[in-house]
Amino acid sequence: MSATLTAAPPVRYPPGDLAIWIFILAELAVFAIFFASYAFARMGDVAMFNEYQATLDKGAALINTLALITSSYFVVRALAAIREDQRKTSVRWLLAALAMGALFLVVKSAEYVHHFGEGVRLSSNTFYMFYLSLTFFHFLHVVLGMVILAAVALKTHQGAYSASEHTGMETGGVYWHMVDLVWLILFPLVYVMR
């Protein structure tokens, strides 16, 4: 009695479309310049940076960190589900990832409302200029990542992805993981390091 084995589609490295990797490298270069500029400015006035860093809500930032890490896990689960041709399960994981992204936006928006209510502006001081610029630039990336994940979820629901073809989902997932990675650098740099 012979068993028929079906070969799994080959795993591509790097996953996703090559164009997204070029885009991600460009984005990471911009963030790296931002982070280096922040570190350089901080060295010039550590006391001032520490003073105003203490006004930030580390609890909210921790919630946002956990939300993004969880959302990245959900994206991984969505990809694992589509590789098993479990389309509905994949869509549910993507929707859960979007919910975590939405939580991030709500918590971050509440932080902004609080700071703006306290009179904080880009012109307040060098720390707040970097804080607002860095976090809002990242905030916009979260929004873009959510638009991409929503499009991937819709296409998955419509049957565009399967175990044999899911490059688009990988591409969206890779971008979302980049957004998560940037926050994992931004969080300790801006909120924690003293």
Side-chain angles (χ1 to χ4, degrees):
M1 184 161 108
S2 65
T4 305
L5 296 176
T6 57
V11 178
R12 297 169 8 130
Y13 291 102
D17 190 7
L18 181 60
I20 197 67
W21 286 98
I22 294 167
F23 182 69
I24 284 172
L25 290 175
E27 292 284 85
L28 290 176
V30 172
F31 274 108
I33 291 166
F34 240 143
F35 292 154
S37 299
Y38 173 88
F40 184 75
R42 191 183 200 303
M43 288 188 322
D45 196 348
V46 174
M48 186 269 290
F49 271 67
N50 285 346
E51 176 185 351
Y52 290 103
Q53 183 186 56
T55 68
L56 301 183
D57 187 343
K58 290 178 183 63
L62 180 60
I63 290 169
N64 275 343
T65 303
L66 295 173
L68 286 184
I69 290 170
T70 303
S71 71
S72 277
Y73 170 74
F74 290 163
V75 169
V76 169
R77 298 300 306 151
L79 187 56
I82 204 64
R83 285 180 175 153
E84 298 292 325
D85 261 336
Q86 297 174 358
R87 187 170 47 89
K88 288 181 181 178
T89 302
S90 184
V91 170
R92 283 195 294 270
W93 283 117
L94 289 168
L95 293 177
L98 282 166
M100 289 293 101
L103 174 61
F104 179 95
L105 295 181
V106 167
V107 171
K108 193 76 210 135
S109 295
E111 278 187 85
Y112 289 141
V113 167
H114 168 75
H115 287 301
F116 292 146
E118 296 286 314
V120 171
R121 302 290 183 267
L122 284 169
S123 59
S124 295
N125 58 47
T126 307
F127 173 79
Y128 282 132
M129 185 272 297
F130 274 108
Y131 164 73
L132 292 172
S133 298
L134 276 168
T135 59
F136 190 69
F137 190 49
H138 180 266
F139 184 97
L140 293 176
H141 282 75
V142 173
V143 171
L144 176 58
M146 289 179 66
V147 169
I148 292 169
L149 287 184
V152 167
L154 179 62
K155 287 185 76 171
T156 305
H157 175 71
Q158 293 171 340
Y161 303 123
S162 65
S164 59
E165 177 43 50
H166 47 266
T167 303
M169 185 182 291
E170 287 178 336
T171 301
V174 165
Y175 183 82
W176 189 252
H177 295 319
M178 184 274 294
V179 171
D180 189 9
L181 173 66
V182 168
W183 180 259
L184 291 177
I185 298 167
L186 196 157
F187 168 57
L189 185 68
V190 174
Y191 285 86
V192 179
M193 287 175 55
R194 299 189 63 81

